[in-house]
């Protein structure tokens, strides 16, 4: 499974990165499948460096804050108004119950756009496993100031050349503070893509919004994750400080997500 960092800037796009958007690619033996984890502010343009938009097999939304979902409005325009037509059909979108309404309000069309012509909306259910090509994904309740926020667990099942099957697990925190659902999502993951928007000593007294590097490291350690990839750092954060915090609690490999970088999970 390949992970491409399309955007990783925390809370709003930065000078070198859009807001949250991560492209996962896996092969089922017949073709490559591509799913997006979030589609935040500024991500749609950068995404086209790595793929044709018509090749999107699914969009998985962690929650409905603009830095994680708002470029779905641009994708709707691309689907609906492409002069050559959109041969791929409706794009499947998994997200909170209010996803279609949230995007419709953001588009602010008169009359309101019928988003169901362009998207196939599915509502997350905690404990349910969804299958899409070589992917299996599920969500766990996160802790963030919005009605629904989820951490994700994505498994890719890919055939090897020798006939065996390779299974890899990526966990994605979405936006969250420490909580049991975060640990459930990250349990024994091969890679834990985890937000760390806050710093100890500056933001650690703020409860129920974001993780610090220390909290992210502790979650990775408690969950037994094999690798920690820190993300969602706002432009004013010091990445070295975030890593140093995480190292206080987690002894495995740690790195910081950078837009445009590819990782093999």
């Amino acid at each position: 499974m390949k992970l491409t960092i399309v955007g990783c800037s925390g809370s709003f796009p930065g000078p070198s990165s859009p807001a949250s958007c991560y492209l996962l690619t896996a092969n089922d033996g017949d073709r490559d499948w591509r799913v997006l984890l979030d589609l935040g502010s500024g991500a749609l343009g950068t995404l086209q460096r790595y793929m044709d938009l018509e090749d999107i097999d699914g969009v998985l939304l962690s929650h409905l804050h603009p830095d994680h979902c708002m470029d779905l409005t641009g994708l709707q325009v691309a689907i609906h108004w492409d002069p050559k037509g959109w041969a791929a059909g409706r794009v499947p979108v998994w997200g909170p119950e209010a996803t279609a309404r949230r995007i419709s309000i953001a588009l602010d069309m008169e009359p309101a756009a019928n988003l169901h012509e362009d998207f196939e909306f599915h509502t997350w259910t905690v404990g349910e496993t969804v299958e899409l090509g070589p992917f299996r994904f599920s969500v766990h309740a996160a802790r963030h100031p919005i009605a629904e926020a989820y951490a994700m667990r994505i498994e890719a099942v890919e055939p090897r050349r020798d006939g065996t099957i390779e299974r890899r697990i990526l966990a994605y925190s979405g936006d969250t503070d420490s909580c049991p659902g975060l640990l459930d999502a990250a349990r024994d993951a091969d890679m834990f893509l985890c937000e760390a928007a806050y710093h100890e000593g500056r933001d650690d007294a703020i409860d129920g919004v974001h993780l610090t590097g220390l909290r992210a490291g502790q979650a990775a350690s408690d969950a037994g994750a094999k690798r920690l990839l820190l993300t969602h750092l706002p432009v004013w954060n010091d990445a070295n400080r975030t890593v140093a915090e995480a190292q206080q609690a987690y002894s495995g490999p740690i790195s910081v997500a950078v837009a445009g970088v590819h990782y093999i999970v």
Side-chain angles (χ1 to χ4, degrees):
M1 172 167 47
K2 182 170 76 171
L3 166 66
T4 300
I5 309 299
V6 179
C8 55
S9 183
S11 300
F12 60 93
S16 59
S17 174
S20 296
C21 182
Y22 309 93
L23 168 62
L24 289 182
T25 307
N27 191 286
D28 66 352
D30 294 322
R31 70 172 180 91
D32 285 339
W33 289 72
R34 299 171 178 87
V35 298
L36 303 177
L37 310 183
D38 287 335
L39 190 55
S41 315
L44 191 67
T46 302
L47 175 64
Q48 293 169 77
R49 299 176 186 173
Y50 311 113
M51 65 176 296
D52 189 312
L53 296 181
E54 287 192 83
D55 290 333
I56 297 173
D57 291 299
V59 180
L60 318 183
L61 298 179
S62 64
H63 64 293
L64 298 179
H65 281 154
D67 59 317
H68 291 259
C69 75
M70 198 48 59
D71 269 24
L72 207 62
T73 57
L75 183 58
Q76 187 272 337
V77 173
I79 295 170
H80 199 86
W81 297 104
D82 189 334
K84 73 179 188 312
W86 187 271
R90 295 188 301 163
V91 174
V93 176
W94 283 265
E97 184 177 5
T99 299
R101 180 169 57 87
R102 178 76 171 91
I103 300 305
S104 179
I105 291 171
L107 281 166
D108 195 23
M109 301 288 286
E110 289 291 345
N114 181 5
L115 298 183
H116 297 275
E117 293 180 352
D118 308 307
F119 299 116
E120 180 185 304
F121 289 103
H122 304 271
T123 299
W124 287 126
T125 299
V126 171
E128 179 181 282
T129 298
V130 177
E131 297 187 7
L132 181 68
F135 295 106
R136 312 287 182 270
F137 39 88
S138 58
V139 295
H140 301 265
R143 192 159 69 100
H144 194 58
I146 194 169
E148 293 182 63
Y150 299 103
M152 301 181 194
R153 184 178 180 87
I154 301 98
E155 179 182 8
V157 181
E158 297 184 272
R160 292 173 172 165
R161 292 180 180 177
D162 62 5
T164 60
I165 298 296
E166 181 177 73
R167 298 177 184 273
R168 289 289 184 266
I169 295 173
L170 172 79
Y172 172 46
S173 65
D175 280 4
T176 185
D177 203 342
S178 303
C179 64
L182 181 63
L183 300 184
D184 291 338
R187 192 77 59 196
D188 299 321
D190 293 289
M191 179 177 284
F192 184 19
L193 177 64
C194 187
E195 71 114 297
Y198 283 171
H199 276 327
E200 292 289 319
R202 185 191 70 192
D203 314 300
D204 51 295
I206 304 173
D207 182 66
V209 183
H210 289 294
L211 297 164
T212 63
L214 177 62
R215 292 174 187 171
Q218 190 63 60
S221 179
D222 291 346
K226 298 177 178 66
R227 184 178 180 184
L228 177 59
L229 181 59
L230 298 166
T231 191
H232 201 274
L233 278 62
V235 296
W236 47 69
N237 274 23
D238 179 348
N240 291 325
R241 177 176 171 181
T242 301
V243 170
E245 288 181 10
Q247 288 173 331
Q248 296 177 44
Y250 179 68
S251 59
I254 302 172
S255 52
V256 175
V258 175
V261 175
H262 307 274
Y263 300 86
I264 299 300
V265 179

